Amino acid sequence: MLLPYQRRPLHDLPDTPQAYDAVLADVAEQALARLTPEGGLEHPEAYLDIGDTSLGVTSLLALAWQRGQDPRLPEAVRRSLAFHLRERVYTDDNPGYPNLRVRDSGLPYARYVLEPGAHPVGDWPSTVWALLQAVDILDLADGLLDDTRRAALTEVAHGYWRWLTEATFFNPQEAGNQAIGCVVGGLMLARRLPPARGEAVRSRALALYTERIRAHRIRDRGALLPPEHGGAYDNNYGPISLSFLAQAHRVSGEPVFAEDGDTLARYIDARLPGGGYDTGGPRYSEQHSGFESVLGLRYFSGRIGSDLGRYRGDTRWGRHAVRPDGGLDGHFAWMLVWQIQDTSRWHRTPSAGTVRHQLRAGTVSVAFDDRMTPSLIEAAGTYYLPAAVDRRHGFGPVVDGFLLCRPMGEVRVRDAHAAPLTAKLVSKPVVGPDQVLRHVRSLYVTDGTSLWTVVAVERLAGDPCLLAGLPYAADDGDRVRRVARGEVTSAGELRLSHPVRTGVETFDTRGELTQEQAAFALAADPRGYGDPDEGWRHLVTSSAFEAGPAPGAPPDLHVFAVRYGPGGPFAPAFTAAEEGLTVRAEVFTAVLGHAAGDAHGVPTLTLHG
């Protein structure tokens, strides 16, 4: 079973001028065949997200004409623009719209659904998108629009801006991508207005970014991020916000957009494994954007010096939005316009720097969450998610159904390198069901092909085991497929357990549900509006690798040792001495210093190949 959204890395899509001209040529042929007598360019089955779609196709035709001078296109641009101005600009309040600050303002806006009152809450982002399509056309208007048409479009675009920032509450859905997109629209519009009006719009746009977006960022994994539908990051919308930050920097030159984009880009880089698979977010759990992410990932890949283009996007939307039948949809067309206009190129090699929330080398990756517990492990092309036991989620020792991974104090991290090895030691104080404070030391070592995990903790009562992950997906050429097993070896007894009961609160990796579907089934609100991350936290139990204690551990410790990926026999040896716990495995020797650590309390780690 192939996952529906996780497809090719976005940097695999050709981005040469010739490739983009071929894309625009195809767009032009589809649009000319679709153009209605009234001038509409909407897909016949479009219903949602419709307010900007015809105008988006118009902008693509304008760009195609500027690049290729196809004589058929100017008339199509003028007719379709007239259609939008005549049929898709609304000035009467949409019945039921809840976010108006001024009634009967008469200002123009775009509708998410054309039918009055059918789905008015989507009108704010639809108007942002229509503003962006309009300013793109204004930028491409030379030789296409006369002064009268240009003035009419400028007036509507300015009206859109005023509706978004005066007649309504700003960013009513608390969606960072929409809010930054609105700011970009203002910055681009300002360049097309007379100087005084333009400066007023530009100043207002920058103030909105500073006071209404930047001041409300949410911290996750050490980074301050624009809030997205109530969370810090969404793996669909987060990269779209990155594209908006790239465009804001391109058109304004303001350093704040580059700085915040660098922060978001480094965050994405840290959470993303080498294979580009990702999951998580307050709106969509596994869905990924496609062309909407390219600008930001490409622009900032060079700025931070890392291969952000490994991000697996939905390449059905690899160039522009399409309907289920594969037909052109103008939604988000401005992103394709901007990425064609942008001259930055992909940075295709990983960053060489050490990152707190990531361990990455070769084809092995570990992404860590805020608690420095793995949120995703990648080894031998297989992706492992945190498993669940008795409602507790993560990677770590389990005793009497209690998972020891939630820190009760400061988490300390130490990194080490000894070519070809890369390692990270995480030490966290935890409290178990007996209310005794213990220190869990987790060592992660990779040679770029396999990952060794060694977890040591003061001796536990009962029959403990290590919750070692949920095997979920694996690379399959250009796609990602569901799996129910993984190449895992343990020094102690190893078993792959599955839930003994069924129901939405359990997740059996042998089943057909994707993680996203299971998460939405547990969310409080309907799919598309609920929070899948919150829903997933209600998961009671899942399939899981469970590793027993390794033999030969010092008598005062329980030590668990697991290898992800290929290798021969696995029989690590452990020695306790004054300097700490020495671990000897087939390719490395590591010394884990005592829990007290160095003079600053940071655990010590010595690594040898």
Side-chain angles (χ1 to χ4, degrees):
M1 173 183 169
L2 294 171
L3 296 179
Y5 303 106
Q6 309 267 350
R7 295 177 179 243
R8 296 170 60 190
L10 289 174
H11 64 202
D12 285 353
L13 293 169
D15 63 348
T16 63
Q18 295 77 17
Y20 283 134
D21 284 337
V23 171
L24 291 174
D26 176 63
V27 166
E29 294 303 326
Q30 289 193 55
L32 291 171
R34 177 186 298 172
L35 187 65
T36 67
E38 296 78 20
L41 287 170
E42 294 156 357
H43 189 284
E45 296 179 5
Y47 175 69
L48 304 178
D49 280 314
I50 195 171
D52 71 306
T53 58
S54 181
L55 195 62
V57 179
T58 303
S59 73
L60 294 175
L61 295 182
L63 179 60
W65 184 79
Q66 294 292 355
R67 292 171 66 90
Q69 301 291 302
D70 184 333
R72 300 173 298 169
L73 299 184
E75 180 61 20
V77 167
R78 289 188 281 267
R79 286 177 56 194
S80 57
L81 175 59
F83 168 82
H84 178 84
L85 296 177
R86 184 180 66 250
E87 304 289 344
R88 295 295 179 258
V89 176
Y90 293 84
T91 55
D92 294 333
D93 293 352
N94 199 351
Y97 186 70
N99 299 313
L100 288 177
R101 300 175 61 213
V102 178
R103 295 287 181 187
D104 301 317
S105 68
L107 293 171
Y109 66 95
R111 286 187 177 175
Y112 179 71
V113 174
L114 298 183
E115 180 185 351
H119 199 321
V121 294
D123 289 354
W124 202 87
S126 287
T127 304
V128 174
W129 310 153
L131 169 62
L132 293 171
Q133 315 283 26
V135 293
D136 271 354
I137 294 172
L138 289 173
D139 283 351
L140 297 165
D142 289 347
L144 289 172
L145 302 183
D146 57 28
D147 290 345
T148 300
R149 291 187 177 96
R150 192 192 301 254
L153 182 58
T154 303
E155 182 180 0
V156 167
H158 193 206
Y160 285 155
W161 169 256
R162 293 188 58 203
W163 187 86
L164 291 164
T165 59
E166 298 174 22
T168 70
F169 290 96
F170 182 76
N171 191 22
Q173 295 185 21
E174 297 183 358
N177 76 98
Q178 298 173 10
I180 304 172
C182 182
V183 168
V184 172
L187 294 172
M188 296 182 69
L189 173 66
R191 304 182 305 176
R192 297 296 164 185
L193 297 175
R197 294 170 66 195
E199 182 53 36
V201 170
R202 176 185 167 89
S203 297
R204 176 68 170 146
L206 294 174
L208 286 170
Y209 182 75
T210 301
E211 300 166 9
R212 303 298 300 277
I213 301 172
R214 198 168 195 266
H216 297 278
R217 289 176 297 171
I218 298 176
R219 184 176 296 278
D220 185 46
R221 308 186 194 193
L224 285 171
L225 308 172
E228 189 55 67
H229 287 286
Y233 177 83
D234 183 276
N235 69 347
N236 180 28
Y237 293 120
I240 296 176
S241 286
L242 190 65
S243 288
F244 281 130
L245 288 169
Q247 182 66 3
H249 186 241
R250 290 182 66 234
V251 301
S252 74
E254 291 290 334
V256 66
F257 298 118
E259 294 165 5
D260 292 354
D262 289 347
T263 297
L264 178 53
R266 291 192 179 100
Y267 171 88
I268 294 173
D269 190 37
R271 71 173 289 138
L272 202 63
Y277 169 83
D278 194 16
T279 183
R283 186 68 181 269
Y284 295 112
S285 191
E286 284 186 290
Q287 290 192 39
H288 278 51
S289 49
F291 73 99
E292 314 101 298
S293 302
V294 169
L295 174 67
L297 294 169
R298 190 176 66 193
Y299 190 83
F300 286 101
S301 71
R303 284 188 56 89
I304 71 168
S306 194
D307 55 337
L308 292 176
R310 68 188 188 276
Y311 180 98
R312 284 187 180 269
D314 188 344
T315 49
R316 292 172 298 185
W317 278 37
R319 298 302 194 183
H320 49 70
V322 296
R323 304 300 298 177
D325 65 0
L328 169 69
D329 188 321
H331 187 49
F332 269 47
W334 20 267
M335 283 295 192
L336 178 57
V337 172
W338 300 344
Q339 67 168 274
I340 291 176
Q341 293 172 334
D342 177 47
T343 59
S344 61
R345 300 274 67 88
W346 289 111
H347 183 98
R348 296 180 178 273
T349 56
S351 170
T354 298
V355 178
R356 177 179 173 88
H357 291 90
Q358 182 194 62
L359 175 70
R360 182 185 174 201
T363 59
V364 172
S365 304
V366 185
F368 296 89
D369 63 17
D370 254 348
R371 305 178 303 178
M372 285 306 295
T373 296
S375 62
L376 182 67
I377 287 177
E378 172 197 27
T382 300
Y383 303 101
Y384 302 86
L385 302 179
V389 56
D390 290 345
R391 298 186 185 275
R392 298 176 177 89
H393 300 204
F395 292 79
V398 175
V399 58
D400 297 331
F402 196 91
L403 176 61
L404 301 175
C405 75
R406 187 170 71 89
M408 294 293 287
E410 190 67 25
V411 179
R412 306 300 184 112
V413 179
R414 177 77 77 174
D415 292 274
H417 303 274
L421 302 172
T422 304
K424 188 182 293 286
L425 175 63
V426 177
S427 178
K428 48 173 98 166
V430 301
V431 173
D434 57 4
Q435 300 298 305
V436 174
L437 181 69
R438 290 178 170 85
H439 290 84
V440 175
R441 289 175 289 169
S442 301
L443 173 69
Y444 306 89
V445 181
T446 181
D447 62 356
T449 301
S450 294
L451 172 72
W452 290 264
T453 300
V454 179
V455 179
V457 61
E458 290 90 345
R459 197 159 189 86
L460 301 163
D463 186 20
C465 68
L466 180 74
L467 202 62
L470 158 71
Y472 179 68
D475 294 337
D476 187 1
D478 287 344
R479 300 290 298 277
V480 177
R481 61 179 170 85
R482 281 288 309 280
V483 295
R485 303 191 62 82
E487 194 172 0
V488 178
T489 308
S490 172
E493 181 183 356
L494 180 71
R495 71 188 185 108
L496 177 57
S497 64
H498 300 286
V500 296
R501 60 178 180 172
T502 59
V504 294
E505 73 281 357
T506 68
F507 187 78
D508 192 326
T509 196
R510 299 169 299 180
E512 294 186 356
L513 281 183
T514 65
Q515 189 273 345
E516 180 188 42
Q517 291 169 326
F520 269 115
L522 290 165
D525 297 312
R527 192 188 187 289
Y529 298 94
D531 182 340
D533 275 5
E534 181 183 9
W536 189 250
R537 285 191 285 271
H538 293 296
L539 190 72
V540 173
T541 186
S542 73
S543 299
F545 275 113
E546 296 174 304
D556 61 336
L557 295 176
H558 267 121
V559 179
F560 307 89
V562 173
R563 183 183 65 210
Y564 302 85
F570 182 46
F574 312 99
T575 305
E578 183 177 350
E579 64 271 19
L581 176 67
T582 298
V583 180
R584 292 181 175 86
E586 61 269 37
V587 301
F588 70 90
T589 298
V591 181
L592 286 60
H594 291 295
D598 62 13
H600 303 286
V602 180
T604 58
L605 172 61
T606 305
L607 181 68
H608 302 286

